[in-house]
Amino acid sequence: MNAAQHRPADRRQRTSLRRIVAIAVVALVFDGYDLVVYGTVVPVLLRDPSQIGHLTPGQAGALGSYALAGVMVGALIAGAVGDHVGRRRVMLTGIAWFSITMGLSALATDITAFGVLRFLTGVGVGALVATAGALIAEFAPPHRRNLYNAIVYSGVPVGGVLASLLALLSSDGDGWRLLFLFGAVPLVLLLPVAVLWLPESPKWLLARGRTERARQVSERTGVPLPASAPDDSEQKSKVGFAALATRRYALATLLLGLTSCSALLLTYALNTWLPEIMEQSGYGKSYSLIFLLTLNGGAVIGGLLASQVADRFGPQRVIATTFVLAAVSLVLLSLKLPLSVLLALVAVAGVGTLGTQVLIYGFVSHYYDTVARAAGVAWCAGFGRLGGIGGPLVGGALLGAGIPVGYAFHVFAGAAVLGAVVTCWVPHQAAEPASPASPAGPLVSGDASVLAHE
């Protein structure tokens, strides 16, 4: 096939990838928005019992954990069904579910209703987070997977930045309700676009034995298919979570879950309690929210830069390094340093917490093959939420006990050190076989040399 014949399929592949990335980014922006928006309103809810009732720091931490418990449930459900029913259905359901429950949260008038809706919102968030990585891994070119994955999951800290900015503009009192109502926007703006533009993964279709349909989608999207489909016995017995329990994946699955657990403990603890910690340290509301903005801004920029390093040298070493950076920055945050230095340290902490979790999702989504990929990412997102659930609870317990706020940073630094150690123990895994030459051709020049390096 000559170069002229390659170009139309090449254009289709680029167009398909851009649409998928755009949809996934916007979905995860609102996931990140939900992650951070609760932390921005915690000070208001603690100080104004007329909103949803009288809250103690411990109760506020528990409310933050309800959403994370929902994320764990949603991620595990998505993993259980995603490798069986496909990526597209799970993504569309997650967008609708998340938007509706987020909007209903704005109407809550008591702690119980708010807590239930936070849990249900988390279910939708978990489904999206667990599926996005699997989807991108099957549409992105192999030598740019970490970068595209980072672009998509950077939507989470971008959502955090958005929540911080809107919180700065909102008023006290009922202003927090408008912040939650804004979270329902994807139902109106994103879902219709996703229904039209989001295709099913041709690799997943092929892995499930739907060969003809896989070829049709591959032709329409320009995405190449693997050299061969899995055999019938693999299709029947080693799909989804069943594949994770095999000797090939079992140890790595446990260690990857613990790695995610460490990163999410740090991420949710800081996003929930950083504004309150900084207020107790003498900074006003605006300054405390600026710290939150800096944390998520650092995660966006640092995560994208680190992903390019990961594409070159492998994600495992980069993740261990960013965990260490997080530990160092968190210890230094407990010291009385100038504001400019504190902001720089918070940005580094953002790279080592949420930025690291972005890299972990990329690592995991490429570690497993197609028939186990959604389950692997779901396990990482779901089991990791145990750390996410613990983060707000630990922070609430420390602040509620009257312990000096700086000590909380030391506890979080310990979790970062644990994450670095566990990451280093994950066994190396052979890369997924590259697709054969296809009509789509490469998205980026130099594919051959990079793939040879991989």
Side-chain angles (χ1 to χ4, degrees):
M1 185 176 291
N2 59 39
Q5 291 173 307
H6 273 285
R7 293 192 191 106
D10 187 43
R11 285 195 296 269
R12 288 197 300 273
Q13 187 178 7
R14 286 198 299 268
T15 299
S16 298
L17 181 58
R18 288 168 182 166
R19 288 178 173 178
I20 292 164
V21 168
I23 290 168
V25 166
V26 174
L28 293 186
V29 162
F30 281 90
D31 281 2
Y33 180 87
D34 174 71
L35 159 66
V36 174
V37 74
Y38 176 68
T40 69
V41 305
V42 162
V44 174
L45 299 180
L46 284 172
R47 290 164 177 73
D48 187 355
S50 68
Q51 297 304 316
I52 61 172
H54 179 72
L55 273 182
T56 65
Q59 289 174 320
L63 282 177
S65 294
Y66 292 161
L68 304 179
V71 172
M72 180 175 67
V73 172
L76 294 176
I77 291 173
V81 303
D83 287 316
H84 293 274
V85 305
R87 321 312 190 203
R88 172 183 160 85
R89 291 178 183 173
V90 177
M91 283 288 289
L92 295 179
T93 302
I95 292 170
W97 183 291
F98 162 84
S99 302
I100 292 170
T101 52
M102 189 72 171
L104 291 175
S105 298
L107 307 178
T109 57
D110 61 75
I111 294 174
T112 300
F114 187 73
V116 170
L117 287 166
R118 292 297 296 155
F119 173 82
L120 293 175
T121 300
V123 172
V125 170
L128 289 175
V129 169
T131 307
L135 191 67
I136 294 303
E138 292 172 5
F139 278 94
H143 66 292
R144 289 291 184 268
R145 283 177 175 174
N146 283 296
L147 176 59
Y148 279 109
N149 190 83
I151 291 171
V152 168
Y153 279 105
S154 287
V156 177
V158 167
V161 170
L162 178 62
S164 302
L165 289 173
L166 292 180
L168 283 170
L169 300 175
S170 71
S171 60
D172 290 337
D174 286 337
W176 70 271
R177 297 185 185 277
L178 293 177
L179 293 176
F180 276 83
L181 190 60
F182 181 77
V185 166
L187 184 67
V188 179
L189 299 183
L190 179 61
L191 184 60
V193 174
V195 170
L196 290 174
W197 281 0
L198 188 67
E200 185 53 86
S201 163
K203 291 183 180 179
W204 174 82
L205 290 167
L206 187 65
R208 298 302 292 148
R210 299 167 62 179
T211 305
E212 185 58 34
R213 179 62 177 158
R215 288 173 180 164
Q216 292 173 359
V217 176
S218 176
E219 175 64 24
R220 189 176 75 250
T221 62
V223 176
L225 292 173
S228 61
D231 60 35
D232 290 340
S233 62
E234 184 177 81
Q235 290 176 21
K236 292 176 181 178
S237 63
K238 296 183 179 181
V239 176
F241 285 119
L244 303 188
T246 61
R247 184 167 57 182
R248 179 185 181 191
Y249 289 134
L251 176 60
T253 296
L254 174 62
L255 294 175
L256 289 168
L258 291 173
T259 300
S260 178
C261 193
S262 299
L264 288 171
L265 186 151
L266 295 169
T267 296
Y268 283 87
L270 289 175
N271 275 289
T272 299
W273 288 111
L274 187 61
E276 182 66 17
I277 289 173
M278 301 317 293
E279 281 200 33
Q280 290 193 21
S281 299
Y283 297 92
K285 174 186 175 182
S286 295
Y287 278 109
S288 64
L289 290 174
I290 287 172
F291 279 106
L292 194 60
L293 180 65
T294 303
L295 179 77
N296 287 279
V300 174
I301 298 171
L304 289 172
L305 293 175
S307 70
Q308 296 184 65
V309 179
D311 273 323
R312 185 180 179 111
F313 298 104
Q316 193 166 2
R317 284 178 286 180
V318 178
I319 290 168
T321 301
T322 54
F323 266 130
V324 171
L325 290 175
V328 172
S329 63
L330 287 167
V331 169
L332 294 176
L333 278 173
S334 65
L335 304 178
K336 297 293 184 181
L337 298 172
L339 177 62
S340 59
V341 177
L342 289 177
L343 288 171
L345 290 172
V346 168
V348 174
V351 180
T353 56
L354 186 50
T356 297
Q357 184 62 25
V358 167
L359 295 175
I360 291 170
Y361 283 135
F363 184 24
V364 172
S365 65
H366 308 146
Y367 195 91
Y368 298 97
D369 58 24
T370 299
V371 295
R373 183 166 286 133
V377 178
W379 164 260
C380 176
F383 183 81
R385 254 51 187 197
L386 293 176
I389 292 168
L393 290 174
V394 169
L398 291 173
L399 270 64
I403 295 174
V405 293
Y407 289 177
F409 289 128
H410 294 168
V411 174
F412 300 150
V417 172
L418 175 63
V421 172
V422 174
T423 300
C424 292
W425 287 347
V426 176
H428 293 289
Q429 176 73 350
E432 186 178 13
S435 300
S438 69
L443 274 177
V444 184
S445 61
D447 287 14
S449 61
V450 182
L451 286 172
H453 172 72
E454 291 191 343

